[in-house]
Amino acid sequence: MKVLASLLIFGACMIVLTSAETRNEFLSFICKKCEGCKLIDIESFDEDGNPDFDCESKCEICVSPYCTDNPKRPECKFCEKDETVEDCAGRCQFGCTFCYKTTACKPKK
């Protein structure tokens, strides 16, 4: 009985540790993606306080021959193959608005 209880406690601890690692990996992935938004100018704010990022200018590079190299250049990492500037800008705006609002990647005080 003590062995079974010990195994259950050990299993529970392993699940908690694994979940924490998965959460940290996920946050690391998201925060790394959000770093790119710091390089995009905010043109204005809407009535809800959401920023309007200048994603169109950022995405115009995606259709240029400059971003067709393999491996991708760092400034082209966000470009998707055969994506229009409008689609890229929409994805960029959505992602950067999320990054602007989230507190997960901001330094803890």
Side-chain angles (χ1 to χ4, degrees):
M1 186 69 166
K2 287 183 182 181
V3 173
L4 182 59
S6 297
L7 286 174
L8 286 174
I9 291 172
F10 176 74
C13 289
M14 290 305 294
I15 290 171
V16 169
L17 289 175
T18 303
S19 297
E21 287 178 21
T22 303
R23 180 180 184 276
N24 287 339
E25 288 172 2
F26 174 73
L27 286 177
S28 177
F29 173 78
I30 293 296
C31 295
K32 187 174 180 183
K33 291 274 188 186
C34 288
E35 285 295 313
C37 295
K38 293 178 181 176
L39 304 174
I40 302 174
D41 293 331
I42 295 175
E43 295 181 319
S44 62
F45 290 87
D46 68 12
E47 61 278 355
D48 296 326
N50 296 323
D52 181 24
F53 289 89
D54 185 19
C55 291
E56 288 80 13
S57 297
K58 185 75 172 170
C59 289
E60 285 175 353
I61 195 171
C62 294
V63 294
S64 72
Y66 180 79
C67 286
T68 58
D69 292 346
N70 201 358
K72 287 184 180 178
R73 298 172 191 230
E75 52 274 22
C76 302
K77 290 280 187 198
F78 64 93
C79 299
E80 298 285 334
K81 186 176 181 182
D82 298 328
E83 184 176 46
T84 65
V85 173
E86 293 80 20
D87 289 343
C88 173
R91 191 170 45 82
C92 165
Q93 184 67 40
F94 179 81
C96 289
T97 299
F98 170 82
C99 291
Y100 182 82
K101 289 182 171 184
T102 188
T103 58
C105 301
K106 293 185 171 79
K108 308 267 188 273
K109 291 182 180 181

